[in-house]
Amino acid sequence: MLPRGSRPRSYGTFTRRVQRLAGLAIATLFSATLFWALAPAGANAADRPVHIVAFGDSLTAGYGLAEQAAFPARLASALKAKGISATIANAGVSGDTASGGLSRLDWSVPEGTDAVILEFGGNDALRGMDPAVTKAALNAILKKLQERHIAVLLAGMKAPPNMGPDYVRAFNAIFPSLAASHSVVYYPFFLDGIVGNANFNLFDGLHPNPAGVDIIVARILPQVEKLIARVRATRGS
């Protein structure tokens, strides 16, 4: 999400980091893929690190935060603390909508990706975009990822109440419907536990501060572990 008058959409915190981070993610994943290809035949594929792309808007990118305080970095730390081998690439773009995510999917989620945390919708709702448009874009993203055999955790979003009951009802129904139809891992509300609480948000009231990010990570972590378990189960089959 991005308030009016804020800087243009960007990976992470700074606009000029878009291509650098995208290239870094691709290079990292390519290197990992090459390593796996050269690994001994007896190596246990199920034990390889799981490579996850956090794909979303400013809530993923870490708007207003240092890189190490953003959701992907904090999630990676939480997984490491539990002894779970995984990497998290930050493919968040501030100001992006679901349709914007669809347009950059192919280069934001490079070859070698095992799983995606899909987080879009906040900007769609704030701009009052037709829920049917948002749902169609997310549906297309999910289809493309499934065609590539990439596991997905769909993070839900909710429309602000001031959009009116009809809009809220239509928008909020997008995420459980898609989760059911695509059989993906589902987390109903990305901002659960922090929305409307000044202690956990930046001055704009829309984006989490570091304490808010940690709450998001703690609450979504069980679903991320479920996502990783799906990847490993597929490797072992």
Side-chain angles (χ1 to χ4, degrees):
M1 294 183 290
L2 189 66
R4 290 181 179 178
S6 299
R7 57 176 174 263
R9 70 184 197 173
S10 61
Y11 264 98
T13 306
F14 301 103
T15 302
R16 297 182 184 276
R17 291 166 55 198
V18 175
Q19 293 181 341
R20 179 173 67 82
L21 285 177
L24 179 59
I26 293 170
T28 301
L29 292 172
F30 174 78
S31 298
T33 302
L34 181 61
F35 172 79
W36 300 336
L38 297 176
N44 188 349
D47 292 336
R48 294 197 307 256
V50 174
H51 294 277
I52 302 171
V53 172
F55 184 43
D57 54 33
S58 56
L59 299 176
T60 292
Y63 174 84
L65 303 176
E67 184 175 350
Q68 64 270 23
F71 169 73
R74 297 302 298 153
L75 177 59
S77 295
L79 291 170
K80 183 177 180 180
K82 298 193 73 171
I84 298 173
S85 182
T87 65
I88 315 290
N90 187 340
V93 170
S94 294
D96 222 352
T97 62
S99 296
L102 176 60
S103 70
R104 64 182 178 90
L105 173 63
D106 291 341
W107 63 266
S108 293
V109 182
E111 291 302 317
T113 299
D114 294 308
V116 164
I117 298 173
L118 183 59
E119 176 276 308
F120 284 105
N123 290 307
D124 300 61
L126 288 175
R127 298 173 190 177
M129 295 179 64
D130 184 348
V133 172
T134 300
K135 184 175 182 179
L138 290 171
N139 185 58
I141 290 172
L142 288 166
K143 283 184 175 180
K144 285 177 175 285
L145 292 174
Q146 289 180 324
E147 288 169 359
R148 293 172 59 185
H149 306 289
I150 294 174
V152 177
L153 189 167
L154 177 62
M157 185 52 59
K158 295 183 179 180
N162 63 358
M163 297 302 294
D166 291 341
Y167 185 89
V168 169
R169 189 180 306 110
F171 185 89
N172 292 358
I174 292 172
F175 299 91
S177 173
L178 289 175
S181 61
H182 289 276
S183 299
V184 296
V185 180
Y186 180 48
Y187 183 67
F189 186 32
F190 190 74
L191 295 176
D192 183 47
I194 72 164
V195 68
N197 190 326
N199 293 324
F200 302 130
N201 288 279
L202 299 177
F203 66 92
D204 62 7
L206 297 173
H207 296 89
N209 60 23
V213 171
D214 284 344
I215 289 175
I216 292 172
V217 168
R219 294 196 177 204
I220 201 173
L221 188 59
Q223 294 304 92
V224 176
E225 292 183 67
K226 184 175 180 180
L227 177 71
I228 290 171
R230 283 197 180 188
V231 171
R232 289 185 171 153
T234 301
R235 287 177 178 177
S237 62

